[in-house]
Amino acid sequence: MGRRYAIYDVFTEKRLEGNPLAVVFDAGDLSDVAMQAIAQEFSLSETVFIQRPGSASHSVRLRIFTPWHELPFAGHPTVGAAVALAEGLYGDAEKPLDLMQILEQKVGPVRAAVRLRPDSATFAEFDLPRKPSRLDARFDKQAIADALSLKATQIGFENHVISFWSAGVPFVMVPLHDVGAVAAVEFDPQRWERLAPLAEGRLAAAYLYCRGGINHMARFHARMFAPEMGISEDPATGAAVAALSGAIHLFDELVDGHHPILVEQGVEMGRPSFIHLHLDIAGGKIATARIGGHAVKIAEGELAV
């Protein structure tokens, strides 16, 4: 008897767009070595394994693997797993249904809300398990420009400068002048590996962003490169947007109140993705933050392992 799995396109309402995710169900008996091998076999940016939780108050336990190693937290596996679980239980619901899940991850318990609607892509959003924190690092602007095949003058806009953030996974945030500069990037992984800082036991990935987007609703346009994770480029990165929220709050000096922000990513890959970020600012600080998006099933089957 095989082990059930499904492939979801995440952060999109359209199949064959967004970020593909493999979801492996009933994975409690798989070893770490087996899960890593299966993630390598799928060869997607991430594969999520659903296991029984360690606490009765949690819905499930999630283990998240890139082709090269395990992650303590990631956005598109959180959204995709929440949607897959909800659709597995209530996918044929004829009336609108809202659910709440507690997804146990290595970063800690993550609360996710799921919105099921008949004849519509399912939407899920989660509270950030950790607020973004700025990490210490010094950067050579010209060296980063060389790693991106850009001019140093194309880095930065308004008061946004290169910064280093993590909300569970570390990213170097590189602001670029405009959408044209982002599209022109030719990423050199060898140069990046020589200059990227280490944090939380791993080499930081590169998250490039600018204001605006191809979609008129987007506030920011982005690309993500993570050679250390075995990801040449990622169509959508929720953990990076979680980290980006710190840079947005700092450099845009957000006032107290609610701030909905749409981030588009994956456009240059032909996999447009839309990540919904909601920030609540109180007393000049991030009080709460949520990330969400749609997900659609593209395939399902059984693993013979």
Side-chain angles (χ1 to χ4, degrees), residues 9 25 84 99-100 201 247:
D9 288 337
F25 301 92
L99 306 172
M100 186 66 68

Side-chain angles (χ1 to χ4, degrees), residues 200-254:
E200 301 175 354
R202 66 185 72 249
L203 195 71
Y207 198 69
L208 322 178
Y209 69 99
C210 68
R211 205 179 293 285
I214 304 301
N215 186 296
H216 73 281
M217 297 292 289
R219 293 271 301 278
F220 292 93
H221 177 89
R223 298 177 73 179
M224 196 283 274
F225 301 89
E228 193 267 344
M229 298 182 194
I231 301 170
S232 56
E233 183 171 359
D234 199 28
T237 320
V241 173
L244 177 66
S245 67
I248 293 172
H249 174 239
L250 175 66
F251 297 127
D252 285 353
E253 299 177 347
L254 298 180

Side-chain angles (χ1 to χ4, degrees), residues 145-299:
D146 291 342
L148 305 180
S149 304
L150 296 177
K151 298 177 181 178
T153 54
Q154 292 175 288
I155 294 179
F157 63 85
E158 300 161 14
N159 63 330
H160 283 246
V161 298
I162 301 167
S163 57
F164 191 23
W165 296 83
S166 176
V169 181
F171 294 90
V172 177
M173 297 292 158
V174 184
L176 298 182
H177 187 266
D178 54 26
V179 172
V182 177
V185 166
E186 295 181 10
F187 187 77
D188 186 327
Q190 287 75 34
R191 284 181 182 267
W192 182 261
E193 288 177 349
R194 289 197 294 269
L195 64 85
L198 285 166
E200 301 175 354
R202 66 185 72 249
L203 195 71
Y207 198 69
L208 322 178
Y209 69 99
C210 68
R211 205 179 293 285
I214 304 301
N215 186 296
H216 73 281
M217 297 292 289
R219 293 271 301 278
F220 292 93
H221 177 89
R223 298 177 73 179
M224 196 283 274
F225 301 89
E228 193 267 344
M229 298 182 194
I231 301 170
S232 56
E233 183 171 359
D234 199 28
T237 320
V241 173
L244 177 66
S245 67
I248 293 172
H249 174 239
L250 175 66
F251 297 127
D252 285 353
E253 299 177 347
L254 298 180
V255 300
D256 286 5
H258 179 69
H259 299 268
I261 298 167
L262 184 66
V263 179
E264 70 176 19
Q265 189 179 330
V267 172
E268 289 80 5
M269 302 176 68
R271 308 268 324 184
S273 306
F274 299 97
I275 303 170
H276 297 257
L277 170 65
H278 291 266
L279 291 174
D280 291 300
I281 309 300
K285 298 181 179 180
I286 297 176
T288 60
R290 303 186 308 280
I291 285 176
H294 295 86
V296 289
K297 190 192 305 185
I298 186 68

Side-chain angles (χ1 to χ4, degrees), residues 58-106:
H58 299 161
S59 304
V60 295
R61 183 187 187 199
L62 303 183
R63 299 285 298 277
I64 301 167
F65 286 79
T66 76
W68 285 11
H69 58 66
E70 186 173 9
L71 293 176
F73 161 71
H76 104 280
T78 301
V79 168
V83 169
L85 289 165
E87 290 187 348
L89 291 171
Y90 305 103
D92 295 328
E94 297 180 357
K95 296 181 180 180
L97 183 62
D98 295 323
L99 306 172
M100 186 66 68
Q101 304 170 350
I102 304 295
L103 306 175
E104 192 177 291
Q105 301 188 36
K106 285 203 167 184

